[in-house]
């Protein structure tokens, strides 16, 4: 897809202070790790995001993670004017300030319920992110089947509490129903007034942002979606305008945009 690649570079470097990069973290900027706390960014991520932001672009991390954990593991808080939309937008971080949805009592019930249906001996484990819980199956034999077996019981329990269950790569997430990456993108594009936007992701939760991106595309606004190819969620690369094979390749694309920005 060489022409699309050149078009993306051209559109995103044209007016840097009107460019927005809405980027997922795990699997997109950081190779998938065995545990979330090991998810370090691809080499050069901090440098390239800093270069783009220094030339005026807005950098937003749009993630299912909790903001403090993301910033700790990624080291990306130094990117100028970085915005973080954590927990699918239920938590927002900017310039060191965090603004979160209140944690409801329901989460205690969900936590207790999960502890009754998940046996640690299976290798499955629960990540507690405050107003979101994730059941991880990475490292478990047959992760999809293990999660598929649990999912109906989880849905039956959390549905009446007004919570939703969303699948991901070797994970099932339980989260607040009003939040997803499509809504984040919708709010961000309006807020930033961007004329060129690049949205990148690797998992099915990113498809909502891709759909929002398509709905914003117009004569005056370039919207590009970039999928990171994986065997675990092939529909993401297939559903994007352009795909790359790894976080390293995404960082290389961002570096080309930064260097084209510098030349203008
Ligand atoms: Mg991801």
């Amino acid at each position: 897809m060489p022409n699309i690649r050149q078009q993306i570079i051209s559109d995103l470097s044209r007016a840097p202070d009107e460019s927005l990069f809405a980027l997922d973290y795990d699997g997109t900027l950081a190779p998938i790790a065995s545990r979330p706390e090991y998810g370090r960014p691809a080499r050069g991520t901090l440098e390239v995001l800093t270069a783009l932001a220094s030339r005026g672009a807005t950098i937003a991390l749009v993630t299912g993670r909790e903001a403090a954990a993301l910033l700790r593991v990624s080291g990306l808080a130094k990117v100028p004017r970085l915005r973080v939309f954590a927990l699918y937008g239920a938590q927002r971080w900017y310039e060191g300030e965090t603004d979160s949805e209140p944690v409801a009592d329901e989460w205690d019930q969900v936590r207790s319920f999960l502890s009754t249906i998940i046996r640690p001996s299976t290798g499955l484990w629960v990540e507690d992110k405050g107003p979101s819980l994730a059941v991880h199956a990475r490292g478990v034999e047959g992760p999809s089947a293990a999660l598929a077996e649990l999912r109906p019981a989880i849905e039956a329990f959390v549905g009446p509490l007004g919570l939703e269950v969303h699948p991901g790569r070797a994970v099932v997430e339980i989260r607040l129903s009003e939040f997803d990456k499509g809504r984040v993108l919708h709010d961000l594009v309006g807020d930033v007034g961007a004329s060129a936007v690049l949205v990148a992701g690797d998992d099915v939760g990113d498809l909502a942002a891709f759909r929002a991106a398509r709905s914003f595309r117009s004569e005056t606004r370039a919207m590009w979606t970039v999928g990171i190819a994986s065997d675990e969620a092939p529909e993401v690369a297939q559903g994007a305008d352009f795909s790359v094979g790894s976080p390293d390749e995404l960082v290389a694309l961002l570096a080309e945009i930064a260097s084209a920005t510098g030349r203008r």
Side-chain angles (χ1 to χ4, degrees), residues 62-255:
V62 186
T63 174
R65 280 192 190 242
E66 192 273 325
L70 172 78
L71 293 168
R72 195 163 50 239
V73 76
S74 70
L76 295 176
K78 291 175 226 153
V79 173
R81 295 171 290 102
L82 179 75
R83 294 174 178 225
V84 178
F85 295 83
L87 303 174
Y88 297 89
Q91 189 184 57
R92 296 155 296 274
W93 179 97
Y94 183 65
E95 310 253 300
E97 299 289 326
T98 307
D99 165 27
S100 299
E101 294 301 311
V103 181
D105 300 340
E106 289 89 324
W107 291 107
D108 285 335
Q109 297 177 48
V110 179
R111 243 174 247 122
S112 307
F113 173 71
L114 291 178
S115 69
T116 64
I117 64 163
I118 294 171
R119 290 189 309 278
S121 60
T122 57
L124 295 166
W125 65 279
V126 178
E127 181 186 8
D128 190 342
K129 304 192 274 188
S132 170
L133 291 164
V135 181
H136 288 270
R138 187 158 301 282
V140 172
E141 205 175 315
S144 307
L147 292 171
E149 203 181 307
L150 285 177
R151 200 170 150 184
I154 297 175
E155 276 171 348
F157 188 86
V158 306
L161 300 174
L163 305 173
E164 290 182 356
V165 179
H166 292 272
R169 297 177 64 181
V171 71
V172 156
E173 289 186 298
I174 304 159
R175 56 192 217 223
L176 297 167
S177 59
E178 319 88 275
F179 297 93
D180 68 29
K181 292 190 178 187
R183 179 176 158 185
V184 169
L185 195 71
H186 187 275
D187 293 349
L188 244 180
V189 170
D191 202 22
V192 172
S195 65
V197 182
L198 185 152
V199 183
D202 72 303
D203 209 343
V204 291
D206 297 304
L207 293 172
F210 288 7
R211 282 192 293 276
R214 271 192 290 279
S215 75
F216 272 116
R217 193 170 283 158
S218 71
E219 299 258 311
T220 54
R221 186 182 288 126
M223 300 287 308
W224 290 107
T225 58
V226 178
I228 285 67
S230 77
D231 294 338
E232 290 175 336
E235 61 268 56
V236 178
Q238 286 158 10
D241 300 313
F242 185 72
S243 71
V244 294
S246 65
D248 280 328
E249 287 183 23
L250 176 66
V251 170
L253 173 64
L254 296 174

